[in-house]
Amino acid sequence: MSPGDEQGYTEPGQTRTRLPGGDPYGGAPRRTGRSSSRGLVTVVGVVVLLIAAIAFANRGDGSATDGSAGKGDRPKAAAPTAASGTKPVDTKSANIPSGFAHTEQGAQSAAANYAVALGSAEMFNKSRRDAILQAIMTPSTVTSSKTAMDKAYTPDFGQSLGLYADGTAPKGYTFVSRTSPVGTKVTEATGDTATVEVWCSGLLGLAGDKSTNPVTNSWFTITMKLEWTANDWKIITHSQQEGPAPVPGDDKASSSEEISKAVDEYGGFTYAR
């Protein structure tokens, strides 16, 4: 959810969004053409999952005592879209996860967590933005990154979203800027460098009864070139492009109060590949 920079981000404020009809926070009317069929599919899906769960619970643990295959015969590799099972990091720098493994999986975990930081509301505050960049960029690129981001996160850009110059929202409003990684992949890797793509879903907007910038959702992919330095993965360069975006569903738009409450009550995660 970051604005444009020299690495290939789109220009600030140019995110393409699909707004609900009428009052964005009054609850957009739900399309009803597929409601009955969707309801039937949901019920059938629940029944199938229940049956599968019961069958799984009753099949036993597959130990050698009952004649079934032992652990040695089970698949050793996780599916490409599954989490690796590697223990998540337990250290932080500037409140950002750090200390990732010197492996491709470690690079993917670092990229996912750095995408969250780059898409956070804290990026709209100068001092917090500088701290984030200090924590995730390679030492040689920190200064240039700060300069580029200062040009992107201008007071005019913040004002276009309804924010004050320091990145805070007016009283009675909640500013939302969140990035949620959906998946990662390594496109190139050597011993001490890795290029990782992070597919993300993002939220951006101002929640409030009279907001002219309601919170909307977008899909984008962030590409990061990482370098192993000071015993951790750090970003050399990063860029962003739109998509891949799924077909929008039939979800009814929530009220500003519901969005604000969700932002306050639901915290984030430490992502691990």
Side-chain angles (χ1 to χ4, degrees), residues 258-271:
E258 291 174 311
I259 293 294
S260 298
K261 184 178 180 181
V263 171
D264 291 337
E265 294 182 351
Y266 292 92
F269 300 95
T270 296
Y271 289 86

Side-chain angles (χ1 to χ4, degrees), residues 173-249:
Y173 292 84
T174 301
F175 178 58
V176 183
S177 180
R178 285 198 182 189
T179 291
S180 300
V182 176
T184 62
K185 72 174 180 178
V186 174
T187 58
E188 185 178 353
T190 63
D192 291 327
T193 62
T195 300
V196 182
E197 293 184 1
V198 187
W199 182 29
C200 305
S201 174
L203 301 174
L204 181 66
L206 193 66
D209 290 339
K210 297 182 180 180
S211 173
T212 58
N213 297 284
V215 180
T216 56
N217 173 253
S218 63
W219 292 83
F220 50 94
T221 299
I222 300 177
T223 301
M224 300 182 192
K225 184 172 183 180
L226 305 173
E227 179 180 64
W228 183 257
T229 179
N231 294 317
D232 209 350
W233 291 105
K234 302 292 182 180
I235 302 175
I236 304 174
T237 61
H238 58 98
S239 60
Q240 178 177 312
Q241 64 184 29
E242 293 183 355
V247 176

Side-chain angles (χ1 to χ4, degrees), residues 59-75:
R59 73 176 187 176
D61 61 0
S63 62
T65 58
D66 62 4
S68 59
K71 291 183 178 180
D73 295 323
R74 296 176 184 174

